Amino acid sequence: MTNDRPIDDHAAISMLTYSAVIDIRAMARQHKALASWPDDDYVACIAWLADLVHNIAMGARREPLWKFWRKQDRPMAYTWSVAGPAGQAWILATLSKNGLEWTPPPPMPVLASDSHG
């Protein structure tokens, strides 16, 4: 049984964005990558983490200024689908270490244009 607090995508977005900024600041100051990073290239790790949370950025707005094509019931669906195994592991570990329980969205449907190389 877990004591983690269940959260929705919007709360996950807030925590992940905040955590990423903290991790990026720490790596930039310490000149050291995250412990889970496969090598000591902290600049590459910062870039990877910045790319990951860049995909989260639009999900944080409840009412976008324009109709954003990724807007849906699960704003983390796109980020989760493009994060890859390492990004998904970081998302889950970050939320878990903060005592939060989040259910990942189902896989995004494959569009016909995506399946034709």
Side-chain angles (χ1 to χ4, degrees):
M1 182 173 184
T2 180
N3 292 329
D4 291 348
R5 180 174 60 95
I7 59 169
D8 66 5
D9 282 14
H10 293 286
I13 287 166
S14 296
M15 177 54 71
L16 293 169
T17 303
Y18 174 78
S19 295
V21 170
I22 297 300
D23 286 349
I24 288 168
R25 287 175 64 190
M27 287 185 283
R29 288 190 174 125
Q30 297 171 5
H31 301 264
K32 185 176 178 186
L34 294 173
S36 60
W37 192 247
D39 61 33
D40 62 353
D41 186 352
Y42 70 94
V43 174
C45 189
I46 288 171
W48 172 81
L49 194 52
D51 287 345
L52 179 66
V53 295
H54 175 256
N55 288 320
I56 295 173
M58 283 307 292
R61 295 186 69 120
R62 294 215 184 245
E63 295 299 326
L65 297 175
W66 65 90
K67 184 73 175 169
F68 194 66
W69 71 272
R70 294 181 191 154
K71 187 171 174 13
Q72 53 194 288
D73 293 336
R74 295 293 307 266
M76 281 288 292
Y78 176 78
T79 301
W80 183 256
S81 70
V82 299
Q88 291 173 353
W90 179 85
I91 289 169
L92 294 175
T94 299
L95 294 172
S96 179
K97 79 177 179 186
N98 285 287
L100 303 172
E101 179 184 333
W102 174 75
T103 302
M108 291 186 69
V110 175
L111 302 175
S113 61
D114 292 343
S115 62
H116 298 301

